[in-house]
Amino acid sequence: MSANRTHPFDITRRGLLLGSAGAAAAAGLGLAPGRLFAQAPISVAGIYTVPVEQQWVSRIHVAAEAAKAAGQVTYTFSENTSNTDYPRVMREYAESGVKLIVGEIFGVEQEAREVVLDYPGTAFLLGSSFLPDPAYPNLAVFDNYIQDASYLSGIIAGAMTQTGNIGMVGGFPIPEVNRLMHAFMAGVRETRPDAIFQVSFIGSWFDPPKAKETAFAMIENGADLLYAERFGVSDAAQERGVLAIGNVIDTQSDYPDTVVASAIWHFEPTLQAALARVADGSFKADNYGLYSFMKEGGCSLAPLGTFEGKVPQAALDMVAEKEAAIKAGAFTVEINDEEPKSS
């Protein structure tokens, strides 16, 4: 999915077909200005299919906790919610009067939309591969469009690899993963045009042992730098003395001699935009993925930290130049959602 077009509703991406919902949601949210957010905090619930420590979900959780600390929201959450149980948990929170439900419905797209239609007075902000649909006026979707930061991290990776052989371990070959891998690879080629890539997907969002074993195999096959899209990859890199590039969160403090750089996702702009619209009654079906772009403050390159002074200056100069161009709108990182392949 690019930011400007809709995915076909095929079974190759999610294994789910989106059916027609009819006109039952035509009444809209029914959220009058001031009803949800006078002086009282907005009630928010998070529903997550993995632990809140998992990279992607952790960024949503951190943003919600920050809003709670600022007095903007009350916040409760459920983690490790199975796809089969997800609709039930959505209903329970909606029935309890929660005003904004956040989470990720990648594995339960159709079922979640059926729930959304039953609660037109609840705002839903959910991670999805699909663009917003006016048939579901109270469902706004988002995605981690952090390809800008991934591209910059690739520039650094290309300058740090000695062999030009880079291993990339992902969860599933879906748009949310594919676009970041492609952006990273494009960045690598800026500083290492002859780089080759080993690409593998472990078929899980949270299986560190499997990710680690996959990374070990890539190292055995010559990789001297790994793209750690999943937990477990940096552990393998650390044990075998090769470098790693992080994704979504900064784990350098855990791997000070291993993780060179990371592309960081900041969910705060996305959540703040949603809260403002819930508060004034204007929340509607919309694409919040754009708030993840670097020019919106939705992603950044983590500080070099322990690798300060170890990255070639020419690469850092290129990063600074490209970052400025991205923020100014003079340079656009390509969004490529196709499955990446090994070289």
Side-chain angles (χ1 to χ4, degrees):
M1 176 186 66
S2 75
N4 300 312
R5 59 184 173 85
T6 305
H7 265 311
F9 292 162
D10 58 24
I11 60 174
T12 60
R13 289 279 169 83
R14 296 291 181 187
L16 294 168
L17 292 174
L18 295 183
S20 172
L29 276 170
L31 305 180
R35 274 181 59 189
L36 299 185
F37 192 47
Q39 298 300 319
I42 295 171
S43 54
V44 176
I47 311 174
Y48 311 120
T49 61
V50 293
V52 292
E53 292 81 12
Q54 189 260 12
Q55 299 108 298
W56 197 88
V57 160
S58 73
R59 306 311 294 165
I60 304 171
H61 183 65
V62 165
E65 287 285 6
K68 177 182 176 181
Q72 293 179 291
V73 306
T74 60
Y75 173 57
T76 186
F77 66 92
S78 298
E79 58 185 342
N80 293 313
T81 303
S82 67
N83 286 334
T84 55
D85 209 27
Y86 207 96
R88 178 190 65 79
V89 179
M90 289 175 68
R91 291 184 184 278
E92 287 186 354
Y93 279 128
E95 292 282 354
S96 73
V98 167
K99 297 305 179 183
L100 175 64
I101 294 176
V102 299
E104 13 95 34
I105 56 171
F106 299 114
V108 63
E109 297 275 4
Q110 174 59 36
E111 295 88 342
R113 283 167 172 77
E114 293 172 1
V115 175
V116 164
L117 290 179
D118 289 340
Y119 299 95
T122 305
F124 294 86
L125 177 65
L126 301 172
S128 170
S129 283
F130 302 115
L131 291 180
D133 184 341
Y136 308 90
N138 55 328
L139 171 61
V141 297
F142 68 88
D143 216 339
N144 61 323
Y145 284 97
I146 64 168
Q147 65 281 343
D148 299 328
S150 297
Y151 168 80
L152 298 181
S153 72
I155 292 174
I156 292 175
M160 294 298 286
T161 177
Q162 297 298 312
T163 65
N165 187 329
I166 295 176
M168 306 181 69
V169 181
F172 293 91
I174 61 171
E176 295 67 33
V177 176
N178 297 345
R179 72 174 64 107
L180 307 188
M181 285 189 164
H182 278 296
F184 171 80
M185 294 162 79
V188 168
R189 294 187 183 106
E190 295 282 10
T191 46
R192 188 67 187 250
D194 64 341
I196 61 171
F197 301 92
Q198 302 178 56
V199 181
S200 184
F201 298 93
I202 64 171
S204 172
W205 292 129
F206 194 73
D207 191 343
K210 188 172 183 179
K212 185 176 180 179
E213 288 304 315
T214 303
F216 278 148
M218 290 178 173
I219 296 170
E220 291 297 324
N221 199 36
D224 73 337
L225 188 144
L226 301 174
Y227 176 76
E229 199 272 329
R230 293 292 101 195
F231 277 152
V233 176
S234 294
D235 293 290
Q238 180 174 253
E239 288 186 25
R240 296 295 170 85
V242 303
L243 300 177
I245 299 293
N247 177 61
V248 176
I249 61 175
D250 185 3
T251 58
Q252 193 185 75
S253 61
D254 296 320
Y255 310 96
D257 300 318
T258 302
V259 175
V260 182
S262 298
I264 308 300
W265 182 30
H266 304 290
F267 191 70
E268 287 78 3
T270 304
L271 180 59
Q272 289 300 315
L275 291 175
R277 291 169 190 171
V278 169
D280 68 14
S282 66
F283 190 91
K284 63 179 182 179
D286 208 348
N287 178 18
Y288 280 70
L290 302 180
Y291 291 102
S292 292
F293 282 41
M294 182 169 282
K295 63 183 179 181
E296 300 292 341
C299 66
S300 68
L301 192 63
L304 289 177
T306 54
F307 279 84
E308 196 74 49
K310 300 178 183 179
V311 178
Q313 188 60 46
L316 297 181
D317 291 344
M318 180 180 290
V319 167
E321 176 188 344
K322 295 293 188 181
E323 181 175 356
I326 289 169
K327 290 180 177 179
F331 177 75
T332 301
V333 176
E334 180 186 7
I335 296 174
N336 183 348
D337 288 348
E338 300 304 314
E339 180 177 345
K341 305 292 185 181
S342 296
S343 299

